[in-house]
Amino acid sequence: MARAGLTAARVVEAAADLADDVGFENVTVSALARQFGVKDASLYSHVKNVQDLRTRVALLAGGEMIDRIGVAVAGRAGKDALVAFANAYRAYALERPGRYAATQIRIDPAVVAESSVFRRTAEVTYGMLRGYGLSEPDLTDAVRLLRSTFHGYCGLEASGGFGAPRGVQTSWERALDALHVLLEHWPRDETKAA
Amino acid sequence: MARAGLTAARVVEAAADLADDVGFENVTVSALARQFGVKDASLYSHVKNVQDLRTRVALLAGGEMIDRIGVAVAGRAGKDALVAFANAYRAYALERPGRYAATQIRIDPAVVAESSVFRRTAEVTYGMLRGYGLSEPDLTDAVRLLRSTFHGYCGLEASGGFGAPRGVQTSWERALDALHVLLEHWPRDETKAA
DNA sequence: GCGCAAACCTAGGACTGTTAGGTTGCAGCT
DNA sequence: AGCTGCAACCTAACAGTCCTAGGTTTGCGC
């Protein structure tokens, strides 16, 4: 019988595609094996367990996402950069819902440490804010606020949390306007508290 | 044999407690039955299926949460109200992580329509913003931004998303300062777009 | 063409979700 | 006290999922 030609990378990518199709919480070892026309047990040569599989999908998605964002913000500054970052973020979340959901799971700190995804994400995010002239610790606070807002907005949008008729796209643009104003009027931390 | 005295409400409450203990995604029919010293099948007299169980936990948690928030913001306005709302929100998320996680699941719109939780949530949230003098559609945009930010912040905090040493509590307070400034400088929608 | 590592399989155990249908305890009525 | 009915609870069974242990095959490098 012809072999499926499985490989760790191929399995993870298929899992990511499956997540976009049926939702991240529904990517199961069995379903994945079915896609390849292979028995469940065969996947365990390439992936330790479901936990491991999900972590890998998360890292794949996180890498793809920050790459797209990085391209979008390249050569931009100030509000231009903010909007480009935010729109690339949201576009990814809407286009690849399963992969985006994967990026939200808790990941083992040991894995985080040896992956480049988080470093790149931090670099791009801090870089985007460069034009606003913030310095630590305000910078960290601002990054956290922005991440929270993007994360929260896309999460609520994806889960149908916005019931009112007002257009979600319009609200998003308004939110970006507001965040831009906010970054320009950022209440500076006089106390330099740690 | 002495009966456990199960009831739909009691089952749901136990499920919520279990969620706070072991995480919402780990509340399972079997585990719940074990807690009551009862067979799995017995629970199906009180709850349609896991989906139904989770939805009920979500509604319970959502109700508890908005009640606590409502008490916190009562009699306050402006920044006072904003801070009270936000702190009550975050406190609930931190104290009852399982219940809070439950509030984030997607809920059948039919259920949403006939539950009072969402109406109350909207009332309290819009009420909190009254002092800032916003009017529609800016009001809806601001509500969405705030909800997203709180939701996103607590989600990231709970999943360990804040790696840097800067205190999470301090960043939170700074974020509230910033949001207050933002609401006072809200970029008005001149076009009255829908 | 031989060997070996990787790819894939069979078999099976443990847990979870769910249904169908049976039994039993308890409240209230007579 | 005895009956009755309903709700609480049970047994039995099946399907799906995760995972392990150990066996077989395929294809690539020599």
Coordinates of all heavy atoms in Angstrom, one line a residue, chain B residues 43-84:
Chain B
L43 N -26.8 11.9 35.4 CA -26.8 13.3 35.2 C -27.6 13.7 34.0 O -28.1 14.9 33.9 CB -25.3 13.8 35.0 CG -24.4 13.7 36.2 CD1 -23.1 14.2 35.9 CD2 -25.0 14.3 37.4
Y44 N -27.9 12.8 33.1 CA -28.6 13.2 31.9 C -30.1 13.4 32.2 O -30.8 13.8 31.2 CB -28.4 12.1 30.8 CG -27.0 12.2 30.2 CD1 -25.9 11.6 30.8 CD2 -26.8 13.0 29.1 CE1 -24.7 11.7 30.3 CE2 -25.5 13.2 28.6 CZ -24.4 12.5 29.2 OH -23.2 12.6 28.7
S45 N -30.5 13.2 33.4 CA -31.9 13.6 33.7 C -32.0 15.1 34.0 O -33.1 15.7 33.9 CB -32.4 12.8 35.0 OG -32.0 11.5 34.9
H46 N -30.9 15.7 34.3 CA -30.9 17.1 34.7 C -30.3 18.0 33.7 O -30.5 19.2 33.7 CB -30.1 17.2 36.0 CG -30.5 16.2 37.1 ND1 -31.7 16.4 37.8 CD2 -30.0 15.0 37.5 CE1 -31.8 15.4 38.6 NE2 -30.8 14.5 38.5
V47 N -29.6 17.4 32.8 CA -28.8 18.2 31.8 C -28.9 17.4 30.5 O -28.8 16.2 30.4 CB -27.4 18.3 32.3 CG1 -26.4 18.4 31.1 CG2 -27.2 19.5 33.2
K48 N -29.1 18.1 29.4 CA -29.2 17.5 28.1 C -28.0 16.7 27.6 O -28.0 15.6 27.2 CB -29.6 18.4 27.0 CG -31.1 18.7 26.9 CD -31.7 18.6 25.5 CE -30.9 19.3 24.4 NZ -31.2 20.8 24.3
N49 N -26.9 17.4 27.7 CA -25.6 16.9 27.3 C -24.5 17.8 27.8 O -24.8 18.8 28.4 CB -25.5 16.7 25.8 CG -26.0 17.9 25.0 OD1 -25.8 19.0 25.4 ND2 -26.8 17.7 23.9
V50 N -23.2 17.6 27.4 CA -22.1 18.4 27.9 C -22.3 19.9 27.4 O -22.1 20.8 28.1 CB -20.8 17.9 27.4 CG1 -19.8 18.0 28.5 CG2 -20.9 16.6 26.8
Q51 N -22.7 20.0 26.2 CA -22.9 21.3 25.6 C -23.9 22.1 26.5 O -23.6 23.2 26.8 CB -23.5 21.1 24.2 CG -24.2 22.3 23.5 CD -23.2 23.1 22.7 OE1 -22.1 22.5 22.4 NE2 -23.5 24.3 22.4
D52 N -25.0 21.5 26.8 CA -26.0 22.1 27.6 C -25.4 22.5 29.0 O -25.6 23.6 29.5 CB -27.2 21.1 27.8 CG -28.3 21.7 28.6 OD1 -28.6 22.9 28.5 OD2 -28.9 21.0 29.4
L53 N -24.7 21.5 29.5 CA -24.1 21.7 30.9 C -23.2 23.0 30.8 O -23.2 23.9 31.7 CB -23.3 20.5 31.3 CG -22.5 20.6 32.6 CD1 -23.4 20.8 33.7 CD2 -21.5 19.4 32.7
R54 N -22.4 23.1 29.8 CA -21.4 24.2 29.7 C -22.1 25.5 29.5 O -21.8 26.5 30.1 CB -20.5 23.9 28.5 CG -19.6 22.7 28.8 CD -18.5 22.5 27.9 NE -17.6 21.5 28.4 CZ -16.6 20.9 27.8 NH1 -16.3 21.3 26.6 NH2 -15.9 20.0 28.4
T55 N -23.2 25.5 28.7 CA -23.9 26.7 28.5 C -24.5 27.2 29.8 O -24.5 28.4 30.1 CB -25.1 26.4 27.5 OG1 -24.5 26.0 26.2 CG2 -25.9 27.7 27.2
R56 N -25.0 26.2 30.6 CA -25.6 26.6 31.8 C -24.6 27.2 32.8 O -24.9 28.2 33.5 CB -26.3 25.4 32.5 CG -27.6 25.0 31.8 CD -28.2 23.8 32.5 NE -29.2 23.2 31.7 CZ -30.5 23.0 32.2 NH1 -30.8 23.4 33.4 NH2 -31.4 22.3 31.5
V57 N -23.4 26.6 32.8 CA -22.4 27.1 33.7 C -22.0 28.6 33.2 O -21.8 29.5 34.0 CB -21.1 26.2 33.6 CG1 -20.0 26.9 34.4 CG2 -21.4 24.9 34.2
A58 N -22.0 28.7 31.9 CA -21.7 30.0 31.3 C -22.7 31.1 31.8 O -22.3 32.2 32.2 CB -21.6 30.0 29.8
L59 N -23.9 30.7 31.7 CA -25.0 31.7 32.1 C -24.9 31.9 33.6 O -25.1 33.1 34.0 CB -26.4 31.1 31.7 CG -26.6 31.1 30.2 CD1 -28.0 30.5 29.9 CD2 -26.5 32.4 29.6
L60 N -24.7 30.9 34.4 CA -24.5 31.1 35.8 C -23.4 32.1 36.1 O -23.6 33.1 36.9 CB -24.2 29.8 36.5 CG -23.8 29.8 38.0 CD1 -25.0 30.2 38.9 CD2 -23.2 28.5 38.4
A61 N -22.3 31.8 35.5 CA -21.1 32.7 35.8 C -21.3 34.1 35.3 O -21.0 35.1 36.0 CB -19.9 32.1 35.1
G62 N -21.9 34.2 34.1 CA -22.2 35.5 33.5 C -23.1 36.3 34.4 O -22.9 37.5 34.7
G63 N -24.1 35.7 35.0 CA -25.0 36.3 35.9 C -24.3 36.8 37.2 O -24.4 37.9 37.6
E64 N -23.5 35.9 37.8 CA -22.8 36.2 39.0 C -21.9 37.4 38.8 O -21.8 38.3 39.5 CB -21.9 35.0 39.4 CG -22.6 33.9 40.1 CD -21.7 32.8 40.5 OE1 -20.4 32.9 40.3 OE2 -22.2 31.7 40.9
M65 N -21.2 37.3 37.6 CA -20.2 38.4 37.3 C -20.8 39.7 37.2 O -20.4 40.7 37.7 CB -19.5 38.0 36.0 CG -18.2 38.8 35.7 SD -17.3 38.1 34.4 CE -15.9 39.2 34.3
I66 N -21.9 39.8 36.4 CA -22.5 41.1 36.1 C -23.1 41.6 37.4 O -23.2 42.8 37.6 CB -23.4 41.1 34.9 CG1 -23.7 42.5 34.4 CG2 -24.7 40.4 35.3 CD1 -22.4 43.3 34.0
D67 N -23.6 40.7 38.3 CA -24.1 41.2 39.5 C -23.1 41.9 40.4 O -23.3 42.9 40.9 CB -24.7 40.0 40.3 CG -26.1 39.6 39.7 OD1 -26.6 40.3 38.9 OD2 -26.5 38.5 40.1
R68 N -21.9 41.2 40.5 CA -20.8 41.8 41.2 C -20.4 43.1 40.7 O -20.1 44.1 41.4 CB -19.6 40.8 41.3 CG -19.8 39.7 42.3 CD -18.7 38.7 42.3 NE -17.4 39.2 42.5 CZ -16.3 38.5 42.9 NH1 -16.5 37.2 43.1 NH2 -15.2 39.0 43.0
I69 N -20.3 43.2 39.3 CA -19.9 44.4 38.7 C -21.0 45.5 38.9 O -20.6 46.7 39.2 CB -19.7 44.2 37.2 CG1 -18.5 43.3 36.9 CG2 -19.5 45.5 36.4 CD1 -18.3 42.9 35.5
G70 N -22.2 45.1 38.8 CA -23.3 46.0 39.1 C -23.2 46.7 40.4 O -23.4 47.9 40.6
V71 N -23.0 45.8 41.4 CA -22.8 46.4 42.8 C -21.6 47.3 42.9 O -21.7 48.4 43.5 CB -22.6 45.2 43.8 CG1 -22.2 45.7 45.2 CG2 -23.9 44.4 43.9
A72 N -20.5 47.0 42.2 CA -19.3 47.8 42.3 C -19.5 49.2 41.7 O -19.0 50.2 42.2 CB -18.2 47.1 41.6
V73 N -20.2 49.2 40.6 CA -20.3 50.5 39.9 C -21.5 51.4 40.4 O -21.6 52.6 40.1 CB -20.5 50.4 38.4 CG1 -19.3 49.7 37.8 CG2 -21.8 49.7 38.0
A74 N -22.4 50.8 41.2 CA -23.5 51.5 41.7 C -23.1 52.8 42.4 O -22.2 52.7 43.3 CB -24.4 50.6 42.6
G75 N -23.7 53.9 42.0 CA -23.4 55.1 42.7 C -22.1 55.8 42.3 O -21.7 56.8 42.9
R76 N -21.4 55.3 41.3 CA -20.2 55.9 40.8 C -20.4 56.4 39.4 O -21.2 56.0 38.7 CB -19.1 54.9 40.9 CG -18.8 54.3 42.2 CD -17.6 53.3 42.2 NE -17.5 52.5 43.4 CZ -16.8 52.9 44.5 NH1 -16.1 54.0 44.5 NH2 -16.8 52.1 45.5
A77 N -19.5 57.3 39.1 CA -19.5 57.9 37.7 C -18.1 58.2 37.3 O -17.2 58.3 38.1 CB -20.4 59.1 37.7
G78 N -18.0 58.4 35.9 CA -16.7 58.8 35.4 C -15.6 57.8 35.7 O -15.8 56.5 35.6
K79 N -14.4 58.2 36.0 CA -13.3 57.3 36.2 C -13.6 56.3 37.4 O -13.1 55.2 37.3 CB -12.0 58.1 36.5 CG -10.8 57.2 36.5 CD -9.5 57.9 36.6 CE -8.4 56.8 36.6 NZ -7.0 57.4 36.8
D80 N -14.2 56.8 38.4 CA -14.6 56.0 39.5 C -15.4 54.8 39.0 O -15.1 53.6 39.5 CB -15.5 56.8 40.4 CG -14.9 57.0 41.8 OD1 -13.6 57.0 41.8 OD2 -15.6 57.3 42.8
A81 N -16.3 55.0 38.2 CA -17.1 53.9 37.7 C -16.3 53.0 36.8 O -16.4 51.7 36.9 CB -18.3 54.5 36.9
L82 N -15.5 53.6 35.9 CA -14.7 52.8 35.0 C -13.7 51.8 35.8 O -13.7 50.6 35.6 CB -13.8 53.7 34.2 CG -12.8 53.0 33.3 CD1 -13.4 52.2 32.2 CD2 -11.8 54.0 32.7
V83 N -13.1 52.4 36.8 CA -12.2 51.6 37.6 C -12.9 50.5 38.4 O -12.4 49.4 38.5 CB -11.4 52.5 38.6 CG1 -10.6 51.7 39.6 CG2 -10.4 53.4 37.8
A84 N -14.0 50.9 39.0 CA -14.8 49.9 39.8 C -15.3 48.8 38.9 O -15.2 47.6 39.2 CB -16.0 50.6 40.4

